[in-house]
Amino acid sequence: MKIAITIWNEIVSPLFDVSSRIMIIENEKIEYLDVSGMCPFEKIDKLELKKIDIFLCGAISLGVRVYAKSKGIEVYPFITGNVREILETILTNKAEIHKYQMPGCGRRHRRFRNCRN
């Protein structure tokens, strides 16, 4: 399983569309992609080329999220927090990833259409 996470310092980058670095993890091997200057759709194309299975990110445009899903990438949007903690959670107990959703994007308190997974 290949996982990609948008990063900024030690946290998930708050907005995918303008993020500049993506961490790719596969079997304890870590690779970093510089995606600065790319439009969001080009970033998704890059993830498809890298054969990413799971993609975790902060806020992401609905059109870009749909595009990623059409490429076979399982997207976990609106994630926030420490990258290492989130990675540990996705690897050990994927069902608990909701704990890292941005405020206002939780399952019980959905108010905004764009927060839907």
Side-chain angles (χ1 to χ4, degrees), residues 34-48:
D34 179 5
V35 292
S36 53
M38 291 182 176
C39 83
F41 294 98
E42 291 173 319
K43 294 175 190 180
I44 296 299
D45 289 340
K46 189 81 148 173
L47 295 180
E48 180 188 26

Side-chain angles (χ1 to χ4, degrees), residues 11-79:
I11 63 170
V12 174
S13 182
L15 180 59
F16 168 70
D17 297 25
V18 296
S19 62
S20 60
R21 289 186 74 206
I22 298 176
M23 175 192 283
I24 297 175
I25 304 96
E26 181 180 34
N27 300 325
E28 298 182 21
K29 179 184 166 199
I30 297 175
E31 172 187 355
Y32 295 93
L33 289 180
D34 179 5
V35 292
S36 53
M38 291 182 176
C39 83
F41 294 98
E42 291 173 319
K43 294 175 190 180
I44 296 299
D45 289 340
K46 189 81 148 173
L47 295 180
E48 180 188 26
L49 287 173
K50 292 284 188 177
K51 300 183 189 301
I52 298 301
D53 300 302
I54 295 175
F55 176 49
L56 298 116
C57 60
I60 183 173
S61 303
L62 179 60
V64 176
R65 191 168 73 224
V66 169
Y67 184 68
K69 287 181 180 182
S70 77
K71 300 289 186 175
I73 300 170
E74 185 178 357
V75 180
Y76 288 84
F78 304 103
I79 300 297

Side-chain angles (χ1 to χ4, degrees), residues 87-105:
L87 183 58
E88 178 74 22
T89 300
I90 201 77
L91 291 172
T92 59
N93 191 359
K94 197 188 305 187
E96 294 295 313
I97 200 67
H98 67 88
K99 289 195 249 180
Y100 295 97
Q101 283 189 314
M102 291 177 165
C105 293

